[in-house]
């Protein structure tokens, strides 16, 4: 295919990505070093209240935003502030003082570090669980009678396809207050249980939700991979006296290795932007994630202001994280490409 | 299967038990909220599972199904579903003009859905009411069931507005991202150049970006777009914030990396001899694409379209931040229920809204199960 033809085929798609992905990235990068504030002015206001004989008048200096005469909006100024927004998000002074005093726990009181801790832990804890559970379901389905496989795949796809916010809500309703599962647990243990009163139980439910939501995806891919396992290799392994577990360990898992890497990569990307769980479980008071932090800065506060520059700084920091996570897999792809047929 | 690979009974049992356990876990939360949504608030949040299922308080309030209702209802349901899978498909194929079979299905499904709702919620209760009064013991309610929460959500809280917005956004996302993505996917599949490789890698990096990063980039521009665009467009310049079509553009762009990766792997499966033959016969690349590739690409395009649909339909973050209250889609709208979720009635209404959002997805899996599975594996196996 000639370059010109190729160009016209991909042009609309590349244009969309440049305009709506690359350009916003540059915009966020610039905003994170700027701060936009309403212009304030100080005016003297004399307020008089009726009094006996004479009025009582008080003169005070008030700070009010300047309103543009023509448009009726408040005027704003934009100033370069360097790394100040980053500093506001990272709060390095508190960070170092926490380390200096040896109270490591205090670091987790700062929103950003709290969110980072949860996001990384969430990603790393769910990854092996998703791969393990997915592989187990795939093996079990492969074992089951042919007529059962269709219905099982149908049921398994439901948690995967459900809207993430709704999925986490459906689990939230099972455990909230006197939800059915909390009530059952209370009956078994004889204790009063509140799943949403402390951080660690919420986190457990979030891990559970994520595995429930993503394991079907891993299952379907592993199941497709299991159909192409080389039967000859498997039979020769049996002749060599390999036990069932050894066959799984030395024949099937190596065969599925490319798929495991694929799932791990996709899971890494998706888990790092964990967000919908925070909304569904309403956990913002206890557990927050990096993407939720940016979302929170972007949501208007009670006065209707959005902390755009702080959101930009936290967005840039989030992006740095995903780039670090992706460097290794991307280098591998690049080596494969170099070593490939091209 | 040979004797050596035959499994001992214990292993078979364990594997079967595990599978049953997984199916229970997979279906339980969804099935349970569906049950909760048709009970009165007191039953829905009852501590005893049996009470939630049978709904004594709902029954006491006069909303219940008798044995006769359940039996006849199931029979009607069975025939309705069977009819959908046999006669409906034949009708659709008969009446839709050639080449517009997808459109025909959409119209057919909509008409069928409407008829189903009319018969099930309009005609049947009247008939059953009459039957129950003469049926004696078989006609007394045994299972509490009420649709009042759905009525409250859809009619009183005007959830249908959110539904329409969701449909506009998802329809837009699917059409635009498939049009743009098909061209790019074909180009990428047929070009082995380094540039194509780099485009794919950059797309992969873009796919990994958290959406909040992008939204942080859009927000200031979208809010002030009327003033920014004024020098170019004059007084017609729109405020992009709150516009459904701006959301469509944003979601299409966010979805583009995934779409082109998936469509590329589908196009690689179409033998390139096909378009080369067309080129030999004197077609240009675009003509070859239109006349030879387009007729055979639909399975891959439908599969990719399903995933675009899911992205548009399931999105919370982008729509919550970039749409205002009047144009809100369904998923962010449900967040409105949290904020005023003070009474248990509000909670059950939120449950009913959640089930309403899930129902179309349930139908989607039912109809397109094979395409979804093939779509999931296409990206992985081809790399």
């Amino acid at each position: 295919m000639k370059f010109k033809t190729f160009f016209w085929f991909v042009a609309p798609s590349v244009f969309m990505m440049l305009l709506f992905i690359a350009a916003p990235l540059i915009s966020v990068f610039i905003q994170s070093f700027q701060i936009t504030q309403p212009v304030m002015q100080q005016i003297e206001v004399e307020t008089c209240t009726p009094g006996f004989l004479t009025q009582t008048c008080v003169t005070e200096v008030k700070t009010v935003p300047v309103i543009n005469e023509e448009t009726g909006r408040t005027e704003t100024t934009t100033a370069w502030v360097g790394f100040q927004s980053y500093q506001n998000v990272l709060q390095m002074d508190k960070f170092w003082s926490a380390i200096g005093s040896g109270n490591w726990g205090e670091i987790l009181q700062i929103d950003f570090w709290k969110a980072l801790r949860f996001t990384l832990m969430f990603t790393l804890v769910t990854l092996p669980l998703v791969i393990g559970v997915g592989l187990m379901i795939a093996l079990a389905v492969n074992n089951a009678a042919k007529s059962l496989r269709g219905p099982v795949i149908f049921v398994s796809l439901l948690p995967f396809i459900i809207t993430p916010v709704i999925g986490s809500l459906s689990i939230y309703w099972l455990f909230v207050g006197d939800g059915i599962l909390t009530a059952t647990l209370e009956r078994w243990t004889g204790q009063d249980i509140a799943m949403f009163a402390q951080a660690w139980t919420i986190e457990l439910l979030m891990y559970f939700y994520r595995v429930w939501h993503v394991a079907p995806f891993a299952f379907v891919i592993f199941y497709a991979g299991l159909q192409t396992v080389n039967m000859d290799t498997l039979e020769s392994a049996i002749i060599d006296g390999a036990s069932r577990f050894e066959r799984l360990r030395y024949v099937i898992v190596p065969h599925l290795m490319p798929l495991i890497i694929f799932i791990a990569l996709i899971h890494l990307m998706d888990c790092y932007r964990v967000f919908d769980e925070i909304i569904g479980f309403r956990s913002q008071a206890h557990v927050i994630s990096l993407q939720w932090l940016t979302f929170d800065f972007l949501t208007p506060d009670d006065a209707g202001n959005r902390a755009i520059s702080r959101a930009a700084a936290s967005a840039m920091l989030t992006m740095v994280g995903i780039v670090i996570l992706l460097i290794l897999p991307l280098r591998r792809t690049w080596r494969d490409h170099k070593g490939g047929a091209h | 299967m040979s004797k050596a690979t035959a499994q001992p009974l214990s292993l078979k049992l364990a594997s079967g038990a595990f599978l049953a356990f997984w199916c229970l876990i997979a279906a339980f939360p969804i099935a349970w909220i569906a049950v909760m949504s048709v009970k009165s608030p007191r039953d829905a949040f009852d501590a005893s599972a049996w009470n939630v299922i049978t709904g004594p308080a709902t029954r006491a309030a006069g909303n219940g199904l008798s044995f006769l209702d359940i039996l006849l209802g199931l029979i009607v349901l069975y025939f309705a579903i069977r009819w959908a899978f046999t006669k409906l498909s034949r009708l659709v194929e008969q009446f839709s003009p050639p080449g517009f079979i997808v459109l025909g299905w959409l119209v057919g499904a909509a008409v069928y859905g409407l008829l189903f709702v009319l018969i099930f919620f309009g005609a049947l209760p009247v008939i059953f009411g009459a039957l129950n009064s003469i049926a004696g013991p078989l006609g007394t309610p045994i299972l509490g069931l009420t649709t009042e929460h759905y009525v409250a959500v859809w009619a009183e809280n005007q959830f249908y507005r959110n539904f329409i917005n969701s449909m506009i956004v998802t329809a837009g996302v699917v059409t635009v991202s498939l049009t743009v993505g098909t061209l790019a996917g074909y180009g990428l599949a047929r070009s082995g150049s380094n540039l194509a490789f780099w485009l794919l890698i950059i797309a992969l990096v873009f796919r990994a970006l958290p959406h909040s990063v992008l939204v942080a980039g859009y927000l200031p521009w979208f809010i002030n777009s009327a003033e920014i665009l004024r020098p170019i467009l004059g007084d017609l310049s729109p405020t992009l914030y709150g516009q459904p079509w701006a959301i469509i553009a944003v979601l299409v762009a966010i979805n583009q990396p995934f779409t082109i990766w998936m469509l590329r792997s589908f196009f690689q499966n179409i033998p390139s001899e096909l378009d080369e033959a067309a080129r030999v016969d004197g077609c240009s690349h675009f003509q070859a694409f239109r006349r030879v590739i387009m007729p055979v690409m639909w399975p891959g395009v439908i599969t990719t379209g399903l995933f675009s649909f899911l992205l548009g339909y399931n999105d919370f973050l982008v729509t919550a931040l970039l749409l205002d209250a009047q144009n809100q889609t369904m998923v962010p709208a449900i967040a409105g229920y949290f904020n005023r979720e003070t009474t248990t009635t509000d909670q059950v209404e939120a449950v009913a809204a959640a089930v309403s959002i899930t129902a179309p997805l349930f139908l989607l899996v039912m109809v397109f199960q094979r395409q979804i599975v093939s779509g999931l594996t296409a990206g992985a196996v081809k790399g």
Side-chain angles (χ1 to χ4, degrees):
Chain A
M1 191 180 270
K2 275 189 302 230
F3 174 75
K4 209 176 152 194
T5 339
F6 174 69
F7 174 79
W8 283 113
F9 268 111
V10 295
S13 172
V14 169
F15 173 73
M16 290 292 276
M17 287 198 281
L18 283 181
L19 185 65
F20 285 106
I21 300 182
L25 278 185
I26 298 168
S27 159
V28 170
F29 182 70
I30 295 171
Q31 274 165 34
S32 68
F33 295 105
Q34 285 179 337
I35 190 160
T36 303
Q37 283 172 321
V39 184
M40 297 303 218
Q41 61 178 359
Q42 294 195 324
I43 49 169
E44 277 190 14
V45 186
E46 191 181 34
T47 36
C48 296
T49 45
F52 187 59
L53 293 180
T54 54
Q55 285 184 323
T56 324
C57 284
V58 186
T59 315
E60 55 185 347
V61 180
K62 274 190 179 171
T63 313
V64 291
V66 180
I67 310 270
N68 190 320
E69 301 265 316
E70 285 172 31
T71 58
R73 292 188 178 204
T74 49
E75 292 210 340
T76 54
T77 54
T78 304
W80 292 90
V81 289
F83 284 96
Q84 192 194 316
S85 298
Y86 288 93
Q87 167 59 26
N88 284 343
V89 173
L90 287 171
Q91 306 204 353
M92 289 313 280
D93 48 341
K94 279 192 194 167
F95 179 82
W96 289 120
S97 76
I99 287 189
S101 64
N103 290 330
W104 295 82
E106 272 175 27
I107 297 175
L108 298 182
Q109 303 292 321
I110 308 168
D111 278 347
F112 177 81
W113 299 100
K114 190 169 143 188
L116 182 70
R117 200 272 314 160
F118 171 70
T119 309
L120 289 181
M121 201 162 145
F122 186 77
T123 312
L124 296 178
V125 168
T126 49
L127 179 64
L129 286 176
V130 162
I131 289 177
V133 173
L135 188 59
M136 271 160 75
I137 304 171
L139 288 170
V141 170
N142 210 28
N143 238 350
K146 280 236 161 57
S147 57
L148 277 179
R149 292 182 189 178
V152 169
I153 293 176
F154 172 74
V155 173
S156 302
L157 280 178
L158 290 178
F160 170 70
I161 211 118
I162 196 173
T163 312
V165 174
I166 305 296
S168 36
L169 269 175
S170 72
I171 289 175
Y172 172 82
W173 279 317
L174 294 181
F175 287 99
V176 70
D178 283 328
I180 191 71
L181 290 185
T182 316
T184 316
L185 282 178
E186 280 176 351
R187 212 169 304 142
W188 279 349
T189 57
Q191 287 175 344
D192 201 27
I193 297 175
M195 291 301 273
F196 294 92
Q198 57 277 325
W200 69 272
T201 42
I202 300 179
E203 270 192 59
L204 276 184
L205 283 183
M206 283 179 170
Y207 298 147
F208 171 78
Y209 163 74
R210 188 48 80 124
V211 174
W212 179 76
H213 177 58
V214 189
F217 166 68
F219 147 60
V220 168
I221 286 173
F222 285 143
Y223 180 65
L226 282 179
Q227 309 309 310
T228 59
V229 170
N230 190 339
M231 276 308 172
D232 294 341
T233 323
L234 212 56
E235 273 172 28
S236 43
I238 295 171
I239 293 169
D240 289 348
S243 72
R244 224 165 268 286
F245 178 74
E246 282 169 336
R247 265 177 274 157
L248 179 68
R249 170 76 185 77
Y250 294 108
V251 180
I252 295 178
V253 169
H255 174 76
L256 295 179
M257 212 50 192
L259 301 184
I260 294 179
I261 291 172
F262 169 78
I263 291 171
L265 185 65
I266 297 284
H267 188 74
L268 220 61
M269 291 181 187
D270 288 348
C271 255
Y272 187 74
R273 39 180 193 215
V274 45
F275 170 75
D276 301 81
E277 282 94 332
I278 313 278
I279 301 288
F281 287 112
R282 273 164 264 183
S283 68
Q284 52 272 41
H286 300 286
V287 182
I288 57 173
S289 73
L290 285 175
Q291 188 155 227
W292 188 85
L293 195 67
T294 314
F295 175 84
D296 191 41
F297 286 136
L298 287 174
T299 318
D301 60 10
D302 292 339
N305 297 317
R306 301 168 196 261
I308 299 277
S309 47
R310 247 182 295 170
S314 106
M316 283 323 281
L317 290 167
T318 314
M319 219 187 78
V320 170
I322 194 70
V323 169
I324 292 172
L325 280 180
L326 279 183
I327 278 179
L328 275 180
L330 282 184
R331 269 185 56 186
R332 208 188 125 94
T333 323
W334 173 237
R335 274 207 306 271
D336 290 353
H337 177 69
K338 278 279 199 183
H342 296 291
Chain B
M1 197 170 265
S2 66
K3 209 172 182 185
T5 52
Q7 296 170 331
L9 187 67
S10 59
L11 188 68
K12 271 188 185 164
L13 278 181
S15 135
F18 173 74
L19 208 57
F21 180 63
W22 159 250
C23 286
L24 181 74
I25 289 186
F28 181 73
I30 303 169
W32 198 253
I33 59 169
V35 170
M36 279 167 81
S37 70
V38 291
K39 305 292 163 175
S40 75
R42 225 184 96 202
D43 283 333
F45 285 98
D46 201 294
S48 139
W50 181 247
N51 279 354
V52 180
I53 293 170
T54 55
T58 320
R59 206 171 56 213
N63 299 306
L65 289 181
S66 67
F67 180 73
L68 198 68
D69 291 337
I70 298 171
L71 192 73
L72 290 177
L74 284 179
I75 291 173
V76 173
L77 193 68
Y78 172 76
F79 280 105
I81 291 175
R82 244 192 78 176
W83 190 82
F85 278 96
T86 52
K87 296 277 172 55
L88 184 67
S89 56
R90 223 174 297 154
L91 272 180
V92 165
E93 274 159 30
Q94 200 178 338
F95 282 102
S96 50
F100 288 93
I101 191 82
V102 178
L103 204 68
W105 267 110
L106 283 179
V107 174
V111 171
Y112 181 78
L114 200 67
L115 272 181
F116 185 83
V117 168
L118 278 182
I119 291 178
F120 234 79
F121 298 101
L124 283 192
V126 180
I127 302 171
F128 286 174
L131 278 178
N132 278 336
S133 58
I134 52 168
L138 283 181
T140 49
I142 51 167
L143 189 72
L145 188 115
T146 171
T147 49
E148 59 183 282
H149 307 299
Y150 288 97
V151 175
V153 166
W154 284 85
E156 285 162 31
N157 297 337
Q158 304 196 318
F159 204 58
Y160 65 90
R161 284 168 184 259
N162 305 116
F163 180 76
I164 293 170
N165 288 327
S166 270
M167 286 303 120
I168 293 173
V169 169
T170 37
V173 170
V174 171
T175 0
V176 181
S177 76
L178 285 185
T179 317
V180 175
T182 316
L183 290 172
Y186 176 72
L188 289 167
R190 289 291 183 262
S191 160
S193 63
N194 262 335
L195 184 69
F197 172 79
W198 279 112
L199 266 179
L200 284 168
I201 290 297
I202 292 172
L204 191 71
V205 175
F206 281 169
R207 189 202 176 282
L209 285 180
H211 300 166
S212 63
V213 177
L214 300 174
V215 177
Y218 302 136
L219 250 183
W221 298 98
F222 273 32
I223 292 173
N224 298 321
S225 67
E227 279 158 43
I228 296 166
L229 292 175
R230 182 149 297 151
I232 311 167
L233 296 176
D235 286 340
L236 286 173
S237 55
T239 299
L240 292 173
Y241 176 78
Q243 299 286 346
W245 54 266
I247 294 293
I248 292 175
V250 166
L251 286 177
V252 166
I254 289 178
N255 199 16
Q256 232 4 252
F258 172 77
T259 314
I260 59 178
W261 267 89
M262 195 152 184
L263 282 169
R264 169 179 164 270
S265 80
F266 276 115
F267 279 119
Q268 276 180 336
N269 275 357
I270 299 176
S272 59
E273 284 80 10
L274 216 59
D275 34 330
E276 274 160 25
R279 299 259 292 141
V280 171
D281 287 348
C283 282
S284 72
H285 259 295
F286 280 97
Q287 281 171 328
F289 176 74
R290 201 164 60 84
R291 288 162 194 266
V292 181
I293 300 296
M294 267 179 78
V296 295
M297 72 179 184
W298 293 110
V301 170
I302 289 175
T303 307
T304 317
L306 282 171
F307 285 87
S308 305
F309 175 89
L310 284 181
L311 179 114
Y313 191 82
N314 287 346
D315 179 82
F316 177 87
L317 200 151
V318 177
T319 39
L321 282 174
L322 293 182
L323 282 178
D324 45 20
Q326 305 113 353
N327 287 327
Q328 205 57 276
T329 53
M330 285 199 283
V331 180
I334 205 172
Y337 285 90
F338 309 164
N339 300 335
R340 58 186 188 80
E341 196 182 88
T342 44
T343 64
T344 41
T345 313
D346 283 339
Q347 289 203 34
V348 185
E349 280 179 16
V351 175
V355 176
S356 309
I357 296 175
T358 315
L361 294 175
F362 188 81
L363 287 179
L364 201 76
V365 188
M366 248 167 120
V367 179
F368 292 110
Q369 180 177 341
R370 201 171 340 132
Q371 280 83 354
I372 294 172
V373 169
S374 80
L376 284 177
T377 47
V381 181
K382 299 286 174 307

